[in-house]
Amino acid sequence: MNGESVGTPEEGDITGSAISIKDLDLWYGEKQALYGVTMDVPPESITALIGPSGCGKSTLLRCLNRMNDQIQGCRVKGTVLLDEENINDPSTDLIDLRRKVGMVFQRPNPFPFSIYENVAYGCRCAGIRNPPTLDKIVESSLKSAALWGEVEDRLDGPAASLSGGQQQRLCIARALAMRPEVILFDEPCSALDPIATFKIEDLLRQLREEYTIVIVTHNMQQAARVSDRTGYMYLGKLMEYGPTKQVFENPQNESTEKYVSGAFG
Ligand SMILES: Nc1ncnc2c1ncn2[C@@H]1O[C@H](COP(=O)(O)OP(=O)(O)OP(=O)(O)O)[C@@H](O)[C@H]1O
Ligand SMILES: [Mg+2]
């Protein structure tokens, strides 16, 4: 919890944090990519990260489920609290962490399996083998990802036969099947057309009711449309972070103002 919210909560105010990042620095070898990032991500809300290419958005996102651990020479300093526990602690169970904090990437990346198996796979790996239980999880995850109606009669068909937008919703269903608390999205719509993008944005608004969402987007209109809070990053620093309306309409930092007004980036 943190003390940022005072009085009546307004749109975008923080009333408790699902994730609390404090003094986070990150290096790729000798090169520092994040500088002292401190931010609280409220639960059941959408937080957008914006900023020019190379400013550290994906790097910061990957710190939230320790995906950077897989990059050789990457070193992190600082804390990331999830449910009050520091995920950077060496004792963190990474499988459990990545179950709690799911991720959806820029390009839809379904497994080369059937639609059904894409959603069931993580559950099987977690030891759930009972067919009726798996059926229920697959159905509810596909429903929550707004895909069920389009695939219910072809669950055994290959995931690769779906359109790009459907594949991205399948990847969201796959993440949902693990019952995460947080879902990270790294530019989930950049490979999609406007209609598929609209469907994903609609879905994000629905998922916000139950999940904590952090989304990296290059599309400022998208950040303004879907997010409750926005963080503007520049050269590895979080320059500004606040309610989306404020960041876009009344930015406190000069470089944020230039970026959101389209003057650079
Ligand atoms: N695996 C890596 N090894 C070395 N340097 C990296 C690695 N990944 C990212 N970087 C560097 O870290 C900095 C931040 O990169 P990052 O990918 O986080 O930026 P980004 O804001 O997500 O950019 P984009 O909008 O282009 O996706 C960049 O200078 C990038 O070159
Ligand atoms: Mg990126």
Side-chain angles (χ1 to χ4, degrees):
M1 300 290 153
N2 66 76
E4 190 177 326
S5 166
V6 188
T8 312
E10 288 179 19
E11 200 182 347
D13 268 1
I14 292 185
T15 52
S17 53
I19 301 173
S20 186
I21 304 168
K22 191 143 196 303
D23 299 329
L24 194 71
D25 296 316
L26 180 144
W27 292 261
Y28 292 114
E30 294 293 301
K31 183 183 150 32
Q32 188 161 0
L34 293 179
Y35 294 83
V37 174
T38 294
M39 72 189 289
D40 282 324
V41 174
E44 288 156 27
S45 66
I46 301 181
T47 299
L49 294 173
I50 60 168
S53 184
C55 68
K57 304 178 296 295
S58 298
T59 299
L60 178 58
L61 197 71
R62 288 195 301 263
C63 285
L64 306 185
N65 68 352
R66 285 190 43 186
M67 290 287 275
N68 290 311
D69 282 23
Q70 295 170 359
I71 298 172
Q72 216 185 354
C74 181
R75 188 163 58 86
V76 177
K77 201 170 131 251
T79 54
V80 177
L81 299 183
L82 174 72
D83 301 334
E84 316 283 328
E85 283 183 29
N86 182 13
I87 68 167
N88 288 337
D89 196 283
S91 65
T92 297
D93 177 340
L94 290 183
I95 292 178
D96 189 49
L97 173 65
R98 290 178 192 148
R99 186 200 63 73
K100 282 190 199 156
V101 185
M103 191 150 189
V104 175
F105 298 89
Q106 181 169 6
R107 299 212 158 262
N109 58 347
F111 301 135
F113 308 150
S114 68
I115 293 167
Y116 182 100
E117 211 45 48
N118 261 274
V119 186
Y121 183 76
C123 299
R124 284 193 211 281
C125 293
I128 302 171
R129 299 275 152 81
N130 179 269
T133 306
L134 285 173
D135 287 353
K136 265 193 206 149
I137 294 173
V138 169
E139 181 173 339
S140 70
S141 304
L142 286 168
K143 279 183 173 161
S144 299
L147 187 59
W148 176 252
E150 291 161 65
V151 300
E152 62 180 313
D153 54 357
R154 54 192 278 211
L155 293 175
D156 292 330
S161 67
L162 297 173
S163 72
Q166 288 172 328
Q167 287 188 18
Q168 195 60 306
R169 279 177 284 142
L170 181 65
C171 293
I172 294 171
R174 183 173 70 187
L176 294 177
M178 302 309 290
R179 312 255 157 103
E181 294 169 25
V182 179
I183 313 178
L184 311 174
F185 290 86
D186 197 348
E187 301 195 40
C189 301
S190 62
L192 305 180
D193 68 25
I195 291 172
T197 296
F198 177 78
K199 282 191 182 164
I200 299 278
E201 286 185 9
D202 220 25
L203 175 56
L204 288 171
R205 286 188 205 94
Q206 288 168 36
L207 294 175
R208 172 189 182 281
E209 303 293 317
E210 277 182 70
Y211 302 92
T212 301
I213 292 171
V214 185
I215 177 171
V216 166
T217 177
H218 262 123
N219 181 330
M220 282 189 281
Q221 286 79 19
Q222 179 167 73
R225 280 194 299 266
V226 302
S227 72
D228 301 285
R229 293 180 72 83
T230 295
Y232 169 66
M233 295 187 71
Y234 184 58
L235 298 176
K237 294 185 180 149
L238 183 66
M239 305 300 286
E240 179 152 358
Y241 177 50
T244 294
K245 201 170 153 54
Q246 180 196 303
V247 171
F248 280 92
E249 291 177 12
N250 185 22
Q252 308 294 299
N253 181 290
E254 202 182 326
S255 75
T256 316
E257 186 175 3
K258 277 192 187 150
Y259 186 73
V260 299
S261 67
F264 87 99

Short mmCIF file of all heavy atoms in Angstrom, two decimals, residues 35-91:
data_model
loop_
_atom_site.label_atom_id
_atom_site.label_comp_id
_atom_site.label_asym_id
_atom_site.label_seq_id
_atom_site.Cartn_x
_atom_site.Cartn_y
_atom_site.Cartn_z
N TYR A 35 17.33 3.63 -14.90
CA TYR A 35 17.92 4.48 -13.86
C TYR A 35 16.88 4.81 -12.79
O TYR A 35 15.93 5.56 -13.06
CB TYR A 35 18.39 5.80 -14.46
CG TYR A 35 19.53 5.67 -15.45
CD1 TYR A 35 19.26 5.35 -16.78
CD2 TYR A 35 20.84 5.90 -15.07
CE1 TYR A 35 20.29 5.25 -17.72
CE2 TYR A 35 21.88 5.80 -15.99
CZ TYR A 35 21.59 5.48 -17.31
OH TYR A 35 22.61 5.38 -18.23
N GLY A 36 17.04 4.22 -11.63
CA GLY A 36 16.24 4.61 -10.46
C GLY A 36 14.73 4.68 -10.69
O GLY A 36 14.09 5.64 -10.27
N VAL A 37 14.18 3.67 -11.36
CA VAL A 37 12.73 3.71 -11.62
C VAL A 37 11.96 3.37 -10.34
O VAL A 37 12.20 2.35 -9.70
CB VAL A 37 12.33 2.73 -12.74
CG1 VAL A 37 10.81 2.68 -12.90
CG2 VAL A 37 12.99 3.11 -14.05
N THR A 38 11.06 4.26 -9.98
CA THR A 38 10.20 4.05 -8.82
C THR A 38 8.76 4.31 -9.26
O THR A 38 8.46 5.37 -9.80
CB THR A 38 10.58 5.03 -7.67
OG1 THR A 38 11.90 4.68 -7.21
CG2 THR A 38 9.61 4.95 -6.51
N MET A 39 7.91 3.32 -9.11
CA MET A 39 6.49 3.52 -9.46
C MET A 39 5.62 2.46 -8.79
O MET A 39 6.06 1.34 -8.56
CB MET A 39 6.27 3.50 -10.98
CG MET A 39 6.41 2.15 -11.64
SD MET A 39 6.39 2.24 -13.48
CE MET A 39 4.69 2.65 -13.84
N ASP A 40 4.40 2.86 -8.45
CA ASP A 40 3.43 1.93 -7.89
C ASP A 40 2.36 1.67 -8.93
O ASP A 40 1.77 2.59 -9.47
CB ASP A 40 2.77 2.53 -6.64
CG ASP A 40 3.68 2.44 -5.44
OD1 ASP A 40 4.40 1.44 -5.33
OD2 ASP A 40 3.67 3.37 -4.62
N VAL A 41 2.11 0.40 -9.19
CA VAL A 41 1.09 0.01 -10.16
C VAL A 41 -0.15 -0.43 -9.39
O VAL A 41 -0.08 -1.40 -8.62
CB VAL A 41 1.60 -1.14 -11.05
CG1 VAL A 41 0.50 -1.64 -11.97
CG2 VAL A 41 2.82 -0.70 -11.85
N PRO A 42 -1.26 0.28 -9.55
CA PRO A 42 -2.46 -0.09 -8.79
C PRO A 42 -3.10 -1.38 -9.30
O PRO A 42 -2.98 -1.71 -10.49
CB PRO A 42 -3.40 1.09 -8.98
CG PRO A 42 -2.91 1.81 -10.17
CD PRO A 42 -1.48 1.47 -10.40
N PRO A 43 -3.77 -2.12 -8.42
CA PRO A 43 -4.43 -3.36 -8.86
C PRO A 43 -5.67 -3.06 -9.70
O PRO A 43 -6.22 -1.97 -9.63
CB PRO A 43 -4.83 -4.03 -7.54
CG PRO A 43 -4.95 -2.92 -6.56
CD PRO A 43 -3.99 -1.83 -7.00
N GLU A 44 -6.06 -4.06 -10.48
CA GLU A 44 -7.28 -3.97 -11.28
C GLU A 44 -7.38 -2.62 -12.01
O GLU A 44 -8.32 -1.85 -11.82
CB GLU A 44 -8.51 -4.25 -10.42
CG GLU A 44 -8.57 -5.73 -10.08
CD GLU A 44 -9.34 -6.03 -8.81
OE1 GLU A 44 -10.22 -5.24 -8.47
OE2 GLU A 44 -9.06 -7.06 -8.18
N SER A 45 -6.36 -2.37 -12.79
CA SER A 45 -6.28 -1.12 -13.54
C SER A 45 -5.35 -1.36 -14.72
O SER A 45 -4.68 -2.39 -14.78
CB SER A 45 -5.70 -0.03 -12.65
OG SER A 45 -4.36 -0.36 -12.36
N ILE A 46 -5.33 -0.39 -15.63
CA ILE A 46 -4.41 -0.50 -16.77
C ILE A 46 -3.38 0.63 -16.66
O ILE A 46 -3.73 1.80 -16.58
CB ILE A 46 -5.17 -0.40 -18.10
CG1 ILE A 46 -6.23 -1.52 -18.19
CG2 ILE A 46 -4.20 -0.46 -19.28
CD1 ILE A 46 -7.03 -1.54 -19.48
N THR A 47 -2.13 0.22 -16.64
CA THR A 47 -1.02 1.19 -16.59
C THR A 47 -0.29 1.10 -17.92
O THR A 47 0.13 0.01 -18.33
CB THR A 47 -0.07 0.83 -15.43
OG1 THR A 47 -0.81 0.92 -14.21
CG2 THR A 47 1.11 1.79 -15.37
N ALA A 48 -0.14 2.24 -18.60
CA ALA A 48 0.55 2.26 -19.89
C ALA A 48 1.95 2.82 -19.73
O ALA A 48 2.16 3.75 -18.94
CB ALA A 48 -0.24 3.10 -20.89
N LEU A 49 2.90 2.24 -20.47
CA LEU A 49 4.25 2.79 -20.53
C LEU A 49 4.47 3.29 -21.94
O LEU A 49 4.31 2.54 -22.90
CB LEU A 49 5.29 1.71 -20.19
CG LEU A 49 5.28 1.17 -18.77
CD1 LEU A 49 6.26 0.00 -18.64
CD2 LEU A 49 5.63 2.27 -17.76
N ILE A 50 4.80 4.58 -22.06
CA ILE A 50 5.04 5.16 -23.38
C ILE A 50 6.43 5.79 -23.39
O ILE A 50 7.05 5.96 -22.34
CB ILE A 50 3.97 6.22 -23.77
CG1 ILE A 50 3.96 7.38 -22.75
CG2 ILE A 50 2.58 5.60 -23.85
CD1 ILE A 50 3.13 8.60 -23.22
N GLY A 51 6.89 6.12 -24.59
CA GLY A 51 8.19 6.78 -24.71
C GLY A 51 8.86 6.35 -26.00
O GLY A 51 8.47 5.34 -26.61
N PRO A 52 9.88 7.10 -26.44
CA PRO A 52 10.51 6.80 -27.72
C PRO A 52 11.23 5.46 -27.73
O PRO A 52 11.56 4.92 -26.68
CB PRO A 52 11.49 7.95 -27.94
CG PRO A 52 11.61 8.65 -26.64
CD PRO A 52 10.44 8.29 -25.80
N SER A 53 11.50 4.96 -28.91
CA SER A 53 12.16 3.67 -29.08
C SER A 53 13.50 3.65 -28.33
O SER A 53 14.26 4.62 -28.36
CB SER A 53 12.39 3.46 -30.58
OG SER A 53 12.94 2.19 -30.77
N GLY A 54 13.73 2.55 -27.63
CA GLY A 54 15.01 2.38 -26.93
C GLY A 54 15.06 3.02 -25.55
O GLY A 54 16.11 3.03 -24.90
N CYS A 55 13.92 3.56 -25.06
CA CYS A 55 13.96 4.27 -23.77
C CYS A 55 13.86 3.33 -22.58
O CYS A 55 14.00 3.76 -21.44
CB CYS A 55 12.85 5.32 -23.71
SG CYS A 55 11.20 4.61 -23.63
N GLY A 56 13.58 2.03 -22.81
CA GLY A 56 13.58 1.08 -21.70
C GLY A 56 12.21 0.54 -21.31
O GLY A 56 12.07 -0.12 -20.28
N LYS A 57 11.20 0.75 -22.16
CA LYS A 57 9.84 0.30 -21.82
C LYS A 57 9.79 -1.22 -21.67
O LYS A 57 9.29 -1.76 -20.68
CB LYS A 57 8.83 0.74 -22.89
CG LYS A 57 8.80 2.23 -23.16
CD LYS A 57 7.82 2.61 -24.25
CE LYS A 57 8.12 2.06 -25.63
NZ LYS A 57 9.36 2.58 -26.25
N SER A 58 10.28 -1.94 -22.70
CA SER A 58 10.23 -3.41 -22.65
C SER A 58 11.12 -3.93 -21.53
O SER A 58 10.77 -4.90 -20.86
CB SER A 58 10.69 -4.01 -23.98
OG SER A 58 9.83 -3.61 -25.01
N THR A 59 12.25 -3.26 -21.34
CA THR A 59 13.16 -3.67 -20.26
C THR A 59 12.46 -3.58 -18.91
O THR A 59 12.52 -4.52 -18.10
CB THR A 59 14.41 -2.75 -20.28
OG1 THR A 59 15.06 -2.92 -21.53
CG2 THR A 59 15.37 -3.10 -19.16
N LEU A 60 11.76 -2.47 -18.69
CA LEU A 60 11.06 -2.31 -17.41
C LEU A 60 9.95 -3.35 -17.28
O LEU A 60 9.79 -3.98 -16.22
CB LEU A 60 10.48 -0.88 -17.32
CG LEU A 60 9.66 -0.58 -16.07
CD1 LEU A 60 10.49 -0.79 -14.79
CD2 LEU A 60 9.14 0.87 -16.09
N LEU A 61 9.21 -3.57 -18.38
CA LEU A 61 8.13 -4.56 -18.34
C LEU A 61 8.68 -5.95 -17.97
O LEU A 61 8.10 -6.65 -17.13
CB LEU A 61 7.46 -4.61 -19.71
CG LEU A 61 6.08 -5.26 -19.78
CD1 LEU A 61 5.05 -4.36 -19.11
CD2 LEU A 61 5.66 -5.50 -21.23
N ARG A 62 9.80 -6.30 -18.58
CA ARG A 62 10.39 -7.62 -18.32
C ARG A 62 10.91 -7.76 -16.89
O ARG A 62 11.10 -8.87 -16.41
CB ARG A 62 11.53 -7.92 -19.32
CG ARG A 62 11.04 -8.20 -20.73
CD ARG A 62 12.15 -8.83 -21.57
NE ARG A 62 13.32 -7.99 -21.67
CZ ARG A 62 13.59 -7.17 -22.70
NH1 ARG A 62 12.76 -7.09 -23.71
NH2 ARG A 62 14.69 -6.45 -22.70
N CYS A 63 11.15 -6.63 -16.22
CA CYS A 63 11.58 -6.68 -14.81
C CYS A 63 10.43 -7.18 -13.92
O CYS A 63 10.66 -7.60 -12.80
CB CYS A 63 12.00 -5.30 -14.31
SG CYS A 63 13.60 -4.79 -14.92
N LEU A 64 9.19 -7.08 -14.43
CA LEU A 64 8.05 -7.41 -13.58
C LEU A 64 7.78 -8.90 -13.50
O LEU A 64 6.98 -9.34 -12.67
CB LEU A 64 6.80 -6.64 -14.06
CG LEU A 64 6.99 -5.12 -14.18
CD1 LEU A 64 5.68 -4.44 -14.55
CD2 LEU A 64 7.54 -4.53 -12.88
N ASN A 65 8.39 -9.69 -14.39
CA ASN A 65 8.33 -11.15 -14.18
C ASN A 65 9.71 -11.80 -14.38
O ASN A 65 9.80 -12.99 -14.65
CB ASN A 65 7.24 -11.82 -15.04
CG ASN A 65 7.56 -11.78 -16.51
OD1 ASN A 65 8.51 -11.12 -16.92
ND2 ASN A 65 6.78 -12.49 -17.30
N ARG A 66 10.71 -10.95 -14.22
CA ARG A 66 12.12 -11.39 -14.28
C ARG A 66 12.47 -12.12 -15.58
O ARG A 66 13.28 -13.03 -15.58
CB ARG A 66 12.48 -12.23 -13.04
CG ARG A 66 12.63 -11.32 -11.84
CD ARG A 66 13.20 -11.97 -10.62
NE ARG A 66 14.33 -12.85 -10.81
CZ ARG A 66 14.86 -13.59 -9.83
NH1 ARG A 66 14.37 -13.50 -8.61
NH2 ARG A 66 15.88 -14.38 -10.07
N MET A 67 11.87 -11.67 -16.67
CA MET A 67 12.24 -12.23 -17.97
C MET A 67 13.66 -11.82 -18.34
O MET A 67 14.32 -12.46 -19.15
CB MET A 67 11.28 -11.76 -19.07
CG MET A 67 9.91 -12.34 -18.97
SD MET A 67 9.86 -14.07 -19.44
CE MET A 67 9.70 -13.91 -21.21
N ASN A 68 14.14 -10.69 -17.76
CA ASN A 68 15.50 -10.26 -18.07
C ASN A 68 16.55 -11.24 -17.55
O ASN A 68 17.70 -11.21 -18.00
CB ASN A 68 15.76 -8.87 -17.47
CG ASN A 68 14.98 -7.79 -18.20
OD1 ASN A 68 15.00 -7.72 -19.42
ND2 ASN A 68 14.28 -6.97 -17.46
N ASP A 69 16.15 -12.11 -16.61
CA ASP A 69 17.09 -13.13 -16.11
C ASP A 69 17.65 -13.97 -17.24
O ASP A 69 18.73 -14.54 -17.13
CB ASP A 69 16.37 -14.11 -15.16
CG ASP A 69 16.16 -13.52 -13.78
OD1 ASP A 69 16.15 -12.28 -13.67
OD2 ASP A 69 16.00 -14.30 -12.82
N GLN A 70 16.85 -14.08 -18.32
CA GLN A 70 17.27 -14.95 -19.42
C GLN A 70 18.30 -14.29 -20.32
O GLN A 70 18.83 -14.91 -21.23
CB GLN A 70 16.04 -15.36 -20.24
CG GLN A 70 15.08 -16.19 -19.42
CD GLN A 70 13.74 -16.40 -20.11
OE1 GLN A 70 13.50 -15.90 -21.19
NE2 GLN A 70 12.86 -17.15 -19.47
N ILE A 71 18.57 -13.00 -20.08
CA ILE A 71 19.52 -12.28 -20.94
C ILE A 71 20.89 -12.28 -20.25
O ILE A 71 21.04 -11.77 -19.14
CB ILE A 71 19.04 -10.84 -21.20
CG1 ILE A 71 17.69 -10.88 -21.93
CG2 ILE A 71 20.07 -10.05 -21.98
CD1 ILE A 71 17.01 -9.54 -22.07
N GLN A 72 21.86 -12.84 -20.96
CA GLN A 72 23.20 -12.95 -20.39
C GLN A 72 23.80 -11.58 -20.13
O GLN A 72 23.68 -10.68 -20.97
CB GLN A 72 24.09 -13.74 -21.35
CG GLN A 72 25.06 -14.61 -20.62
CD GLN A 72 26.03 -15.29 -21.57
OE1 GLN A 72 25.90 -15.17 -22.80
NE2 GLN A 72 26.98 -15.98 -21.03
N GLY A 73 24.39 -11.40 -18.97
CA GLY A 73 25.06 -10.14 -18.66
C GLY A 73 24.12 -9.08 -18.12
O GLY A 73 24.53 -7.94 -17.87
N CYS A 74 22.85 -9.44 -17.94
CA CYS A 74 21.89 -8.47 -17.43
C CYS A 74 21.90 -8.48 -15.90
O CYS A 74 21.88 -9.54 -15.28
CB CYS A 74 20.50 -8.81 -17.96
SG CYS A 74 19.27 -7.65 -17.42
N ARG A 75 21.96 -7.28 -15.31
CA ARG A 75 22.05 -7.18 -13.86
C ARG A 75 21.02 -6.15 -13.38
O ARG A 75 20.86 -5.09 -14.02
CB ARG A 75 23.47 -6.71 -13.51
CG ARG A 75 23.82 -6.72 -12.05
CD ARG A 75 25.34 -6.64 -11.91
NE ARG A 75 25.92 -5.45 -12.54
CZ ARG A 75 26.02 -4.26 -11.96
NH1 ARG A 75 25.58 -4.09 -10.72
NH2 ARG A 75 26.55 -3.23 -12.59
N VAL A 76 20.34 -6.49 -12.29
CA VAL A 76 19.27 -5.62 -11.79
C VAL A 76 19.57 -5.25 -10.34
O VAL A 76 20.03 -6.08 -9.57
CB VAL A 76 17.91 -6.37 -11.85
CG1 VAL A 76 16.78 -5.52 -11.26
CG2 VAL A 76 17.57 -6.77 -13.27
N LYS A 77 19.29 -4.00 -10.00
CA LYS A 77 19.42 -3.56 -8.60
C LYS A 77 18.12 -2.83 -8.24
O LYS A 77 17.57 -2.11 -9.07
CB LYS A 77 20.60 -2.59 -8.50
CG LYS A 77 21.15 -2.45 -7.11
CD LYS A 77 22.46 -1.67 -7.15
CE LYS A 77 22.42 -0.57 -6.12
NZ LYS A 77 22.32 0.77 -6.56
N GLY A 78 17.65 -3.03 -7.02
CA GLY A 78 16.41 -2.37 -6.61
C GLY A 78 15.34 -3.40 -6.32
O GLY A 78 15.57 -4.61 -6.46
N THR A 79 14.17 -2.91 -5.90
CA THR A 79 13.13 -3.88 -5.52
C THR A 79 11.89 -3.76 -6.41
O THR A 79 11.55 -2.68 -6.89
CB THR A 79 12.69 -3.68 -4.04
OG1 THR A 79 12.30 -2.32 -3.88
CG2 THR A 79 13.78 -4.02 -3.06
N VAL A 80 11.26 -4.91 -6.58
CA VAL A 80 9.95 -4.97 -7.24
C VAL A 80 9.07 -5.81 -6.33
O VAL A 80 9.26 -7.02 -6.21
CB VAL A 80 10.03 -5.63 -8.64
CG1 VAL A 80 8.64 -5.73 -9.26
CG2 VAL A 80 10.96 -4.85 -9.56
N LEU A 81 8.15 -5.13 -5.64
CA LEU A 81 7.29 -5.87 -4.71
C LEU A 81 6.02 -6.31 -5.44
O LEU A 81 5.36 -5.51 -6.10
CB LEU A 81 6.87 -5.00 -3.52
CG LEU A 81 7.96 -4.46 -2.59
CD1 LEU A 81 7.32 -3.69 -1.45
CD2 LEU A 81 8.83 -5.58 -2.05
N LEU A 82 5.72 -7.60 -5.30
CA LEU A 82 4.45 -8.14 -5.79
C LEU A 82 3.82 -8.82 -4.59
O LEU A 82 4.47 -9.69 -3.98
CB LEU A 82 4.69 -9.14 -6.93
CG LEU A 82 3.46 -9.88 -7.43
CD1 LEU A 82 2.54 -8.96 -8.21
CD2 LEU A 82 3.86 -11.06 -8.32
N ASP A 83 2.61 -8.44 -4.26
CA ASP A 83 1.99 -8.95 -3.03
C ASP A 83 2.95 -8.79 -1.84
O ASP A 83 3.15 -9.71 -1.05
CB ASP A 83 1.63 -10.43 -3.16
CG ASP A 83 0.66 -10.67 -4.30
OD1 ASP A 83 -0.08 -9.74 -4.63
OD2 ASP A 83 0.67 -11.77 -4.86
N GLU A 84 3.59 -7.63 -1.79
CA GLU A 84 4.49 -7.27 -0.67
C GLU A 84 5.79 -8.07 -0.64
O GLU A 84 6.56 -7.95 0.30
CB GLU A 84 3.79 -7.40 0.70
CG GLU A 84 2.37 -6.84 0.77
CD GLU A 84 2.32 -5.32 0.86
OE1 GLU A 84 3.25 -4.75 1.45
OE2 GLU A 84 1.38 -4.73 0.30
N GLU A 85 6.03 -8.93 -1.64
CA GLU A 85 7.30 -9.67 -1.63
C GLU A 85 8.20 -9.21 -2.76
O GLU A 85 7.72 -8.95 -3.87
CB GLU A 85 7.03 -11.18 -1.77
CG GLU A 85 6.54 -11.76 -0.46
CD GLU A 85 6.32 -13.26 -0.54
OE1 GLU A 85 7.00 -13.91 -1.34
OE2 GLU A 85 5.44 -13.74 0.20
N ASN A 86 9.50 -9.10 -2.46
CA ASN A 86 10.44 -8.63 -3.47
C ASN A 86 10.77 -9.76 -4.45
O ASN A 86 11.44 -10.73 -4.11
CB ASN A 86 11.72 -8.14 -2.78
CG ASN A 86 12.72 -7.60 -3.78
OD1 ASN A 86 12.38 -7.37 -4.94
ND2 ASN A 86 13.95 -7.40 -3.33
N ILE A 87 10.30 -9.60 -5.69
CA ILE A 87 10.51 -10.68 -6.66
C ILE A 87 11.98 -10.81 -7.06
O ILE A 87 12.38 -11.81 -7.64
CB ILE A 87 9.63 -10.52 -7.93
CG1 ILE A 87 10.06 -9.30 -8.76
CG2 ILE A 87 8.15 -10.45 -7.58
CD1 ILE A 87 9.44 -9.28 -10.15
N ASN A 88 12.78 -9.77 -6.77
CA ASN A 88 14.21 -9.85 -7.09
C ASN A 88 15.00 -10.65 -6.07
O ASN A 88 16.19 -10.89 -6.25
CB ASN A 88 14.82 -8.45 -7.23
CG ASN A 88 14.36 -7.78 -8.52
OD1 ASN A 88 13.98 -8.46 -9.46
ND2 ASN A 88 14.37 -6.47 -8.55
N ASP A 89 14.31 -11.09 -5.01
CA ASP A 89 14.98 -11.92 -4.01
C ASP A 89 15.39 -13.25 -4.67
O ASP A 89 14.60 -13.84 -5.41
CB ASP A 89 13.98 -12.17 -2.87
CG ASP A 89 14.67 -12.69 -1.64
OD1 ASP A 89 15.02 -13.88 -1.62
OD2 ASP A 89 14.88 -11.88 -0.73
N PRO A 90 16.63 -13.70 -4.40
CA PRO A 90 17.08 -14.95 -5.05
C PRO A 90 16.19 -16.15 -4.73
O PRO A 90 16.18 -17.13 -5.49
CB PRO A 90 18.50 -15.16 -4.49
CG PRO A 90 18.90 -13.87 -3.88
CD PRO A 90 17.67 -13.08 -3.56
N SER A 91 15.44 -16.09 -3.63
CA SER A 91 14.62 -17.25 -3.28
C SER A 91 13.30 -17.31 -4.06
O SER A 91 12.53 -18.26 -3.92
CB SER A 91 14.31 -17.22 -1.77
OG SER A 91 13.51 -16.09 -1.49
#
